[in-house]
């Protein structure tokens, strides 16, 4: 019978997220996780299975928090253009709040780990597919509303927007100029109309 966890799993995931976000997967040691979570190695292994196990759970935790922020923003939009602007606004606020210049954990993970581990690749692919599907639904709605152009398909526009969001998150690591970041967003949105 497995032991009952006696720690706050959410707090442990928050602490582990911080260390993985700062150091990346490969730069994070088990000792870093022990120090960050205040759990001993055996507790980490018993609860998460491995360093990879806790990392995948951290990615899921991070992704769910981001999805919650996006869906909260979308709940207050009135049309497709507002929805796309809202998603970009969430991303912009993440960039501006990232004073340590760590970037997006999921984007960082994609560049560091997607070609190194099948489980990580599957996770980031699923995350990507989910975001592209969301964007595609919004663009299709905008095309039906006659707010967005139909020169390209909703899927093609969604791929472009997703790529722009990824690029914006990378650009935001070095560039914190809000006016310039907003100009990038405005240009991306202009391609839809």
């Amino acid at each position: 019978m497995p032991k009952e966890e006696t720690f706050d799993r959410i707090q442990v995931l928050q602490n582990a997220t911080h260390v993985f976000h700062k150091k990346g997967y490969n730069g994070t040691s088990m000792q870093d996780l022990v120090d960050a979570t205040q759990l001993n190695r055996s507790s980490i292994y018993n609860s998460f299975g491995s360093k990879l196990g806790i990392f995948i759970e951290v990615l899921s935790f991070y992704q769910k928090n981001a999805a919650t922020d996006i869906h909260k923003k979308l709940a207050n939009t009135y049309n497709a253009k507002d929805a796309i602007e809202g998603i970009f606004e969430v991303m912009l606020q993440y960039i501006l709040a990232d004073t340590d210049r760590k970037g997006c954990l999921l984007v960082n993970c994609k560049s560091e780990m997607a070609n190194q581990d099948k489980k990580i690749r599957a996770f980031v692919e699923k995350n990507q597919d989910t975001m592209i599907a969301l964007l595609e639904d919004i663009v299709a709605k905008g095309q039906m509303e006659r707010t967005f152009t139909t020169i390209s398909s909703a899927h093609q526009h969604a791929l472009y927007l997703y790529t722009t969001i990824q690029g914006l998150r990378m650009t935001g690591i070095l560039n914190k100029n809000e006016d310039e970041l907003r100009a990038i967003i405005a240009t991306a949105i202009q391609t839809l109309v």
Side-chain angles (χ1 to χ4, degrees), residues 12-182:
V12 165
L13 289 173
Q14 287 172 338
N15 295 346
T17 298
H18 178 73
V19 73
F20 279 126
H21 205 168
K22 182 178 180 183
K23 294 185 168 197
Y25 179 81
N26 290 315
T28 299
S29 68
M30 280 305 289
Q31 188 58 50
D32 291 329
L33 292 171
V34 167
D35 294 343
T37 63
Q38 299 299 301
L39 296 176
N40 60 43
R41 286 173 193 261
S42 64
S43 292
I44 292 172
Y45 284 115
N46 289 336
S47 297
F48 301 99
S50 64
K51 176 180 160 184
L52 182 63
I54 192 171
F55 185 62
I56 289 173
E57 197 160 331
V58 159
L59 291 175
S60 181
F61 177 75
Y62 185 89
Q63 185 273 335
K64 285 176 186 172
N65 287 333
T68 297
D69 292 344
I70 289 169
H71 287 290
K72 281 181 187 175
K73 191 70 164 179
L74 292 177
N76 295 314
T77 61
Y78 301 101
N79 57 48
K81 188 170 184 272
D82 287 347
I84 296 295
E85 289 172 345
I87 291 170
F88 273 107
E89 185 63 29
V90 169
M91 298 304 141
L92 178 63
Q93 293 310 312
Y94 286 162
I95 290 167
L96 296 175
D98 182 17
T99 56
D100 294 336
R101 299 178 183 261
K102 295 183 304 274
C104 173
L105 180 60
L106 292 168
V107 174
N108 297 349
C109 172
K110 186 185 287 186
S111 65
E112 180 188 13
M113 294 293 297
N115 64 350
Q116 293 182 26
D117 184 272
K118 289 179 183 179
K119 288 180 182 176
I120 298 292
R121 183 181 180 97
F123 181 91
V124 294
E125 282 178 344
K126 182 178 178 186
N127 181 67
Q128 176 175 295
D129 292 346
T130 299
M131 188 64 175
I132 290 170
L134 173 65
L135 292 166
E136 187 174 349
D137 287 347
I138 295 169
V139 171
K141 180 180 177 195
Q143 289 175 328
M144 287 175 40
E145 293 170 346
R146 298 179 190 255
T147 305
F148 295 156
T149 181
T150 56
I151 291 173
S152 295
S153 70
H155 184 71
Q156 289 168 325
H157 281 300
L159 288 171
Y160 172 76
L161 292 171
Y162 179 78
T163 301
T164 303
I165 289 167
Q166 298 283 287
L168 183 71
R169 294 304 304 268
M170 289 300 293
T171 299
I173 293 171
L174 299 178
N175 185 344
K176 298 294 185 192
N177 183 311
E178 185 174 351
D179 291 337
E180 290 180 1
L181 296 171
R182 286 192 182 280

